[in-house]
mmCIF file of all heavy atoms in Angstrom:
data_model
loop_
_atom_site.group_PDB
_atom_site.id
_atom_site.type_symbol
_atom_site.label_atom_id
_atom_site.label_comp_id
_atom_site.label_asym_id
_atom_site.label_seq_id
_atom_site.Cartn_x
_atom_site.Cartn_y
_atom_site.Cartn_z
ATOM 1 N N ILE Z 606 -14.629 -31.526 -16.035
ATOM 2 C CA ILE Z 606 -13.383 -31.047 -16.636
ATOM 3 C C ILE Z 606 -12.852 -32.182 -17.568
ATOM 4 O O ILE Z 606 -12.437 -31.935 -18.729
ATOM 5 C CB ILE Z 606 -12.363 -30.725 -15.566
ATOM 6 C CG1 ILE Z 606 -12.801 -29.310 -14.984
ATOM 7 C CG2 ILE Z 606 -11.021 -30.534 -16.179
ATOM 8 C CD1 ILE Z 606 -11.991 -28.928 -13.759
ATOM 9 N N LEU Z 607 -12.863 -33.437 -17.055
ATOM 10 C CA LEU Z 607 -12.384 -34.496 -17.913
ATOM 11 C C LEU Z 607 -13.233 -34.753 -19.086
ATOM 12 O O LEU Z 607 -12.684 -35.176 -20.110
ATOM 13 C CB LEU Z 607 -12.297 -35.769 -16.946
ATOM 14 C CG LEU Z 607 -11.325 -35.812 -15.798
ATOM 15 C CD1 LEU Z 607 -11.366 -36.969 -14.938
ATOM 16 C CD2 LEU Z 607 -9.841 -35.596 -16.335
ATOM 17 N N ALA Z 608 -14.567 -34.482 -18.927
ATOM 18 C CA ALA Z 608 -15.425 -34.711 -20.060
ATOM 19 C C ALA Z 608 -15.329 -33.482 -21.136
ATOM 20 O O ALA Z 608 -15.964 -33.625 -22.126
ATOM 21 C CB ALA Z 608 -16.820 -34.793 -19.625
ATOM 22 N N GLY Z 609 -14.638 -32.435 -20.614
ATOM 23 C CA GLY Z 609 -14.407 -31.292 -21.559
ATOM 24 C C GLY Z 609 -15.637 -30.337 -21.616
ATOM 25 O O GLY Z 609 -15.642 -29.316 -22.386
ATOM 26 N N THR Z 610 -16.615 -30.477 -20.704
ATOM 27 C CA THR Z 610 -17.718 -29.524 -20.549
ATOM 28 C C THR Z 610 -17.403 -28.414 -19.600
ATOM 29 O O THR Z 610 -18.221 -27.446 -19.568
ATOM 30 C CB THR Z 610 -19.014 -30.335 -20.144
ATOM 31 O OG1 THR Z 610 -18.818 -30.992 -18.914
ATOM 32 C CG2 THR Z 610 -19.394 -31.283 -21.182
ATOM 33 N N LEU Z 611 -16.290 -28.457 -18.815
ATOM 34 C CA LEU Z 611 -15.897 -27.374 -17.947
ATOM 35 C C LEU Z 611 -14.510 -27.175 -18.061
ATOM 36 O O LEU Z 611 -13.737 -28.017 -18.000
ATOM 37 C CB LEU Z 611 -16.287 -27.858 -16.462
ATOM 38 C CG LEU Z 611 -15.921 -26.827 -15.383
ATOM 39 C CD1 LEU Z 611 -16.695 -25.514 -15.502
ATOM 40 C CD2 LEU Z 611 -16.078 -27.407 -13.995
ATOM 41 N N LYS Z 612 -14.096 -25.932 -18.197
ATOM 42 C CA LYS Z 612 -12.736 -25.583 -18.379
ATOM 43 C C LYS Z 612 -12.294 -24.724 -17.148
ATOM 44 O O LYS Z 612 -11.076 -24.355 -17.164
ATOM 45 C CB LYS Z 612 -12.460 -24.746 -19.667
ATOM 46 C CG LYS Z 612 -12.801 -25.560 -20.928
ATOM 47 C CD LYS Z 612 -12.467 -24.758 -22.230
ATOM 48 C CE LYS Z 612 -12.897 -25.522 -23.424
ATOM 49 N NZ LYS Z 612 -12.200 -26.869 -23.512
ATOM 50 N N CYS Z 613 -13.044 -24.512 -16.236
ATOM 51 C CA CYS Z 613 -12.703 -23.599 -15.138
ATOM 52 C C CYS Z 613 -12.213 -24.492 -13.961
ATOM 53 O O CYS Z 613 -12.906 -25.069 -13.188
ATOM 54 C CB CYS Z 613 -13.950 -22.801 -14.629
ATOM 55 S SG CYS Z 613 -13.687 -21.760 -13.164
ATOM 56 N N TYR Z 614 -10.818 -24.498 -13.833
ATOM 57 C CA TYR Z 614 -10.243 -25.242 -12.822
ATOM 58 C C TYR Z 614 -10.451 -24.751 -11.361
ATOM 59 O O TYR Z 614 -10.322 -25.459 -10.432
ATOM 60 C CB TYR Z 614 -8.686 -25.498 -13.006
ATOM 61 C CG TYR Z 614 -8.395 -26.381 -14.170
ATOM 62 C CD1 TYR Z 614 -8.333 -25.941 -15.510
ATOM 63 C CD2 TYR Z 614 -8.170 -27.773 -13.954
ATOM 64 C CE1 TYR Z 614 -8.016 -26.796 -16.509
ATOM 65 C CE2 TYR Z 614 -7.796 -28.629 -14.924
ATOM 66 C CZ TYR Z 614 -7.833 -28.204 -16.279
ATOM 67 O OH TYR Z 614 -7.638 -29.051 -17.312
ATOM 68 N N GLU Z 615 -10.849 -23.538 -11.263
ATOM 69 C CA GLU Z 615 -11.119 -22.820 -9.938
ATOM 70 C C GLU Z 615 -12.411 -23.481 -9.414
ATOM 71 O O GLU Z 615 -12.582 -23.309 -8.163
ATOM 72 C CB GLU Z 615 -11.157 -21.409 -10.131
ATOM 73 C CG GLU Z 615 -9.851 -20.721 -10.440
ATOM 74 C CD GLU Z 615 -9.983 -19.133 -10.456
ATOM 75 O OE1 GLU Z 615 -10.335 -18.641 -9.424
ATOM 76 O OE2 GLU Z 615 -9.651 -18.638 -11.542
ATOM 77 N N ALA Z 616 -13.182 -24.123 -10.075
ATOM 78 C CA ALA Z 616 -14.423 -24.742 -9.640
ATOM 79 C C ALA Z 616 -13.991 -25.966 -8.703
ATOM 80 O O ALA Z 616 -14.825 -26.453 -7.952
ATOM 81 C CB ALA Z 616 -15.266 -25.271 -10.744
ATOM 82 N N LEU Z 617 -12.716 -26.368 -8.755
ATOM 83 C CA LEU Z 617 -12.263 -27.501 -7.858
ATOM 84 C C LEU Z 617 -11.901 -27.015 -6.486
ATOM 85 O O LEU Z 617 -11.587 -27.834 -5.658
ATOM 86 C CB LEU Z 617 -11.022 -28.109 -8.520
ATOM 87 C CG LEU Z 617 -11.305 -28.896 -9.917
ATOM 88 C CD1 LEU Z 617 -9.836 -29.226 -10.474
ATOM 89 C CD2 LEU Z 617 -12.200 -30.086 -9.772
ATOM 90 N N SER Z 618 -11.870 -25.742 -6.280
ATOM 91 C CA SER Z 618 -11.485 -25.136 -4.999
ATOM 92 C C SER Z 618 -12.465 -25.456 -3.863
ATOM 93 O O SER Z 618 -13.566 -25.134 -4.036
ATOM 94 C CB SER Z 618 -11.196 -23.680 -5.190
ATOM 95 O OG SER Z 618 -10.991 -23.079 -3.868
ATOM 96 N N SER Z 619 -11.886 -26.031 -2.747
ATOM 97 C CA SER Z 619 -12.768 -26.261 -1.615
ATOM 98 C C SER Z 619 -13.347 -24.921 -1.009
ATOM 99 O O SER Z 619 -14.417 -24.897 -0.452
ATOM 100 C CB SER Z 619 -12.085 -27.032 -0.513
ATOM 101 O OG SER Z 619 -10.908 -26.360 -0.110
ATOM 102 N N ASP Z 620 -12.526 -23.900 -1.066
ATOM 103 C CA ASP Z 620 -12.996 -22.624 -0.551
ATOM 104 C C ASP Z 620 -14.207 -22.065 -1.271
ATOM 105 O O ASP Z 620 -15.147 -21.671 -0.715
ATOM 106 C CB ASP Z 620 -11.814 -21.588 -0.666
ATOM 107 C CG ASP Z 620 -12.158 -20.278 -0.028
ATOM 108 O OD1 ASP Z 620 -12.127 -20.217 1.271
ATOM 109 O OD2 ASP Z 620 -12.491 -19.316 -0.725
ATOM 110 N N LEU Z 621 -14.081 -22.171 -2.615
ATOM 111 C CA LEU Z 621 -15.258 -21.663 -3.391
ATOM 112 C C LEU Z 621 -16.483 -22.573 -3.172
ATOM 113 O O LEU Z 621 -17.593 -22.096 -3.052
ATOM 114 C CB LEU Z 621 -14.850 -21.791 -4.961
ATOM 115 C CG LEU Z 621 -15.948 -21.303 -5.888
ATOM 116 C CD1 LEU Z 621 -15.223 -20.679 -7.154
ATOM 117 C CD2 LEU Z 621 -16.792 -22.369 -6.453
#
Side-chain angles (χ1 to χ4, degrees):
I606 288 172
L607 294 175
T610 56
L611 176 67
K612 297 187 182 300
C613 178
Y614 285 88
E615 291 183 60
L617 297 170
S618 166
S619 60
D620 184 77
L621 184 147

